Amino acid sequence: MISSNLLAVFYLISGVLFILALRGLSSPETSRQGNLFGIIGMAIAISVTILSAGNFSTGFLYLLILLLVGGSIGAFIAFKIPMTAMPELVAGFHSLVGLAAVFVAISAFLNPEVFNLGFPGKIKIASLIEMSLGAAIGAVTFTGSIIAFLKLRGLMSGSPIIFVGQHYLNLALGIILISLIFYLCKTQIDTWFWTIIIISFLLGVLLIIPIGGADMPVVISMLNSYSGWAAAGIGFTLENTALIITGALVGSSGAILSYIMCKGMNRSFFNVILGGWGGTDQSSSNKSKEKKPVKSGNSDDAAFLMKNASSVIIVPGYGMAVAQAQHALREMVDALKKNGVKVTYAIHPVAGRMPGHMNVLLAEANVPYDEVFELEEINNDFANCDVAYVIGANDVTNPIAKTDPQSPIYGMPILDVEKSKSVLFVKRSLSPGYAGIDNDLFYRDNTLMLFADAKKMTEDIIKSL
């Protein structure tokens, strides 16, 4: 058995490694090193926690078996999952973190003496508050992540689901939760505890259903934050330093990321937390423009325009992820560079369906980091750009975000690709993007639509070059 002082030292080392992991993950260049720090830190935390129990009986054997089973399942999923399904995988994992927090809170409430929290009916008030908050946030994270998973997976409509009085209902449920925690601490009646969990499950659903598909990347980062705070709350209940540190780091970093993304989308951070945005009626913005003329071309047309350009800006989107076109794209860019064409990449903060989705794909294709720019760094360059090559980045390039107040993406900063001399838009059809609205860019005079699979079209352009 490890002494409490030695346990604290190992938890401190884990905490430092987790901080180094977050620092490393903040940049694609150091992300692998950051990931390694996180793995080592978690391995240390799990190992010393098990050793600190000091009871290597049958219970320890059961724990080892469950760890092996769970770890094997996680490893199998990680190896098999395609990059296109990564957003829903993250949402699914968040749901498990939330559910784990709920189960631990239930265990602590039913068996407080095991956790040195007192006895049934006489639990420490501070511990009751901690486990109630941990259970509530965990339950919200669980059901909210399930809804996010269903939307991302296409098993549920990505359109906002809204009804009259929705926000007032959410507010009322929040007030009821606070009141129930107060009464639980005062009476310690089991009914209040179970009611807190049930209402929290319901609140998780109500917070996420009004959020539209285009805003789903922010939902992912916000749920990540919720899962961290749930873990921190349970960490206080169990008096586990590692859980407190890890939960606080995940919770705060997720909240900061959500704030940055909200700022990049011109959204209100507090409305995100309350699930009160993204619910704009799309009917007024989703006017059919199928009858308007569009100019379509082929790989030869695209190759001619890019080969004779002095500068090309690549705008990757979810279409690149679906087609797994990043490697072909890198090959095309190399061919253009040989012809003296300057090529850069423009990344929107919410391109794809999770934060950093496009950055990960480009890093996988060994795209140089100094060629990849965020929206605020490169947006002014489109006006002087000869060709913008857009691969399925639908909503984040839609000019309607500037012109239609009724649009669900109104006010969201977009990549100003329409200012380029020529726009090559690779897409399978004229179908709307994930936000469910038509893209005005398709019908602009300087836009040439390339109707094809992104990977095949890029490969054909390479041949033409």
Side-chain angles (χ1 to χ4, degrees):
M1 180 177 179
I2 299 178
S3 66
S4 57
N5 289 336
L6 191 58
L7 182 65
V9 170
F10 278 117
Y11 280 160
L12 179 60
I13 293 172
S14 296
V16 172
L17 287 170
F18 293 146
I19 294 172
L20 292 174
L22 284 177
R23 179 179 176 84
L25 291 170
S26 65
S27 169
E29 295 175 293
T30 57
S31 59
R32 291 181 184 274
Q33 185 183 60
N35 203 23
L36 181 61
F37 282 139
I39 292 171
I40 295 172
M42 186 56 68
I44 292 174
I46 293 174
S47 300
V48 298
T49 300
I50 294 174
L51 293 175
S52 66
N55 182 10
F56 297 93
S57 59
T58 308
F60 177 79
L61 179 61
Y62 289 148
L63 176 62
L64 188 61
I65 292 173
L66 291 173
L67 281 173
L68 289 173
V69 171
S72 300
I73 294 173
F76 177 78
I77 293 174
F79 277 116
K80 291 292 184 180
I81 201 75
M83 274 306 301
T84 50
M86 194 60 67
E88 52 258 46
L89 175 67
V90 172
F93 281 169
H94 287 164
S95 72
L96 296 179
V97 175
L99 189 61
V102 173
F103 283 156
V104 173
I106 292 173
S107 179
F109 183 78
L110 297 178
N111 303 284
E113 64 276 8
V114 176
F115 301 94
N116 298 318
L117 305 177
F119 300 92
K122 294 183 180 181
I123 302 174
K124 300 173 186 176
I125 298 301
S127 298
L128 267 178
I129 295 174
E130 292 159 2
M131 71 176 69
S132 298
L133 289 174
I137 299 173
V140 168
T141 304
F142 174 68
T143 50
S145 298
I146 292 297
I147 297 299
F149 173 86
L150 294 175
K151 287 192 173 212
L152 289 166
R153 194 68 179 173
L155 300 175
M156 180 178 179
S157 173
S159 301
I161 300 174
I162 54 178
F163 54 85
V164 178
Q166 189 170 35
H167 307 317
Y168 293 108
L169 176 60
N170 290 346
L171 178 62
L173 289 176
I175 295 173
I176 291 172
L177 274 178
I178 295 173
S179 302
L180 287 174
I181 292 175
F182 172 78
Y183 281 111
L184 176 64
C185 294
K186 188 175 181 179
T187 63
Q188 301 207 14
I189 297 176
D190 294 9
T191 305
W192 299 136
F193 181 74
W194 296 112
T195 306
I196 288 171
I197 293 177
I198 293 172
I199 291 179
S200 298
F201 279 138
L202 175 61
L203 187 60
V205 174
L206 294 175
L207 286 174
I208 305 302
I209 58 173
I211 300 178
D215 303 321
M216 203 50 65
V218 187
V219 174
I220 295 295
S221 64
M222 202 64 236
L223 290 170
N224 179 48
S225 179
Y226 289 165
S227 67
W229 296 125
I234 295 303
F236 279 108
T237 301
L238 303 180
E239 297 182 352
N240 187 294
T241 309
L243 263 181
I244 296 171
I245 294 174
T246 307
L249 287 173
V250 173
S252 56
S253 60
I256 292 170
L257 176 60
S258 299
Y259 174 76
I260 293 172
M261 295 180 72
C262 287
K263 189 176 180 182
M265 296 175 65
N266 194 31
R267 305 296 195 188
S268 167
F269 179 71
F270 292 103
N271 283 344
V272 176
I273 298 174
L274 299 174
W277 54 275
T280 308
D281 182 14
Q282 299 182 25
S283 58
S284 61
S285 300
N286 198 21
K287 299 173 184 176
S288 175
K289 296 186 179 180
E290 295 288 342
K291 294 182 180 179
K292 289 191 66 174
V294 296
K295 292 190 294 184
S296 61
N298 54 36
S299 58
D300 292 332
D301 300 324
F304 176 81
L305 285 172
M306 286 194 279
K307 189 173 183 178
N308 290 281
S310 59
S311 64
V312 173
I313 298 179
I314 309 291
V315 182
Y318 191 65
M320 183 184 77
V322 172
Q324 288 290 286
Q326 61 269 26
H327 297 284
L329 183 65
R330 168 66 193 275
E331 189 178 345
M332 183 191 80
V333 169
D334 290 341
L336 288 172
K337 288 179 181 178
K338 290 178 181 178
N339 286 292
V341 181
K342 178 187 176 183
V343 184
T344 51
Y345 299 80
I347 307 293
H348 192 280
V350 294
R353 294 188 182 175
M354 65 178 285
H357 200 173
M358 297 300 104
N359 301 78
V360 172
L361 288 172
L362 293 178
E364 182 186 338
N366 294 316
V367 171
Y369 301 125
D370 58 359
E371 295 178 4
V372 181
F373 297 92
E374 300 296 329
L375 179 145
E376 64 275 3
E377 298 174 312
I378 200 171
N379 227 12
N380 292 331
D381 294 350
F382 282 105
N384 301 314
C385 170
D386 292 314
V387 177
Y389 187 69
V390 185
I391 314 178
N394 203 331
D395 299 319
V396 298
T397 61
N398 195 341
I400 205 171
K402 304 176 184 177
T403 59
D404 187 357
Q406 300 303 315
S407 169
I409 64 171
Y410 180 70
M412 181 179 81
I414 62 166
L415 291 165
D416 295 328
V417 296
E418 79 274 9
K419 295 181 180 179
S420 303
K421 293 179 182 177
S422 297
V423 178
L424 301 175
F425 207 118
V426 184
K427 208 170 184 301
R428 292 176 183 271
S429 68
L430 289 175
S431 60
Y434 198 57
I437 54 176
D438 203 22
N439 192 339
D440 276 356
L441 185 62
F442 299 162
Y443 313 100
R444 298 291 176 100
D445 292 335
N446 62 332
T447 299
L448 186 69
M449 298 298 298
L450 305 174
F451 294 112
D453 173 81
K455 183 178 180 181
K456 186 179 186 308
M457 174 57 68
T458 304
E459 290 173 343
D460 288 343
I461 292 174
I462 295 170
K463 294 175 183 177
S464 298
L465 286 172

